[in-house]
Amino acid sequence: SLILNDAGQVAGSAQRYRGSTDAGRSAWLYSGGSTQEIGLTGVGYTRGDGYQFNNVGLLNDAGQVAGAADRYNDWEWTGLPTGQSAWLYDPISNETYSMDGSVSLLTGEVYSSIEFLGDDGLALGRYTLFDDGGASLGDRAFSFTVADGWNDLGSLVNGGLNDAGWSYLARAYRSNGAGQIVGNGVLASMNGQAAYLLTPVPEPETWAMLVAGLALVGTAARRRRVALA
């Protein structure tokens, strides 16, 4: 697929070959008359036979690109991937940042994806959390900016998730111009998932300190002594 932003930059992917042999897919960004390869291509993202697979998913007006790369164990030559790592390429720093929030100590598996990329550079997504034994604990929401780095989104809630009545935030779907974030998570008092709305406070200078509290969307929530949106 091809993605075009208002600045005339284009992001996409290309099939890779070693001679006539399929060698996966590479990600690229066209900007300022030149094309460069982006994505994750080093150790852990290259199979023993040289196979790599990067997908492009999102492009913002600042020229940042979000995508995902398949992961491989070092000893695998033709095996299946051990999950995928979300990544974000930033043209200002000319760096590609990986979003590996948790790695299974049992299998080496990682799974993460970026589901939203704002023109302000805020990336939102989800990752699979693994316990100390390597078992999956399910999805968790994360945020990333170049300035503030990677954060589990629930860790940014003022006063903590428990005080707000939530067990964890599972996914983050979108942010608006006011810095509010919508997604879904698990309330401490119920089974299944509910929608949430995160609202920032205006005082801090860095985004990582902005989250003030959680509001339950679409159903009634018990009042708690937190700054609810």
Side-chain angles (χ1 to χ4, degrees):
S1 62
L2 297 175
I3 311 172
L4 173 67
N5 67 11
D6 290 341
Q9 297 166 306
V10 184
S13 58
Q15 199 72 27
R16 300 177 71 247
Y17 292 95
R18 298 177 63 200
S20 59
T21 303
D22 179 15
R25 184 177 295 176
S26 61
W28 52 265
L29 173 67
Y30 173 83
S31 179
S34 63
T35 302
Q36 69 178 104
E37 185 176 1
I38 56 177
L40 298 172
T41 59
V43 176
Y45 308 104
T46 304
R47 204 166 61 185
D49 59 357
Y51 187 95
Q52 300 171 349
F53 197 93
N54 276 274
N55 264 329
V56 168
L58 300 164
L59 169 68
N60 65 14
D61 285 344
Q64 293 177 314
V65 185
D70 285 353
R71 294 176 57 92
Y72 297 94
N73 290 326
D74 293 342
W75 61 86
E76 290 183 320
W77 282 83
T78 59
L80 295 174
T82 55
Q84 73 170 33
S85 295
W87 52 261
L88 183 137
Y89 171 75
D90 176 60
I92 301 300
S93 63
N94 193 29
E95 290 189 35
T96 299
Y97 302 87
S98 63
M99 307 288 141
D100 295 341
S102 182
V103 181
S104 171
L105 298 179
L106 182 64
T107 64
E109 182 181 0
V110 169
Y111 183 86
S112 59
S113 64
I114 293 175
E115 300 179 348
F116 172 81
L117 177 60
D119 289 333
D120 59 356
L122 172 63
L124 300 172
R126 60 189 172 105
Y127 73 99
T128 300
L129 178 65
F130 297 94
D131 65 17
D132 292 340
S136 171
L137 298 176
D139 289 341
R140 299 292 188 272
F142 74 82
S143 66
F144 176 86
T145 66
V146 173
D148 299 320
W150 184 96
N151 287 281
D152 182 293
L153 197 57
S155 69
L156 303 181
V157 175
N158 186 33
L161 280 174
N162 290 337
D163 285 349
W166 293 76
S167 294
Y168 60 87
L169 307 184
R171 300 182 72 170
Y173 294 111
R174 191 168 184 83
S175 176
N176 61 16
Q180 294 175 308
I181 297 172
V182 67
N184 60 35
V186 174
L187 284 166
S189 59
M190 65 177 289
N191 293 323
Q193 295 193 359
Y196 67 80
L197 177 68
L198 285 171
T199 300
V201 294
E203 291 84 1
E205 295 179 358
T206 59
W207 192 91
M209 298 175 62
L210 290 184
V211 177
L214 288 162
L216 179 61
V217 179
T219 184
R222 185 171 59 181
R223 297 285 184 180
R224 294 178 181 271
R225 295 178 62 83
V226 293
L228 293 177

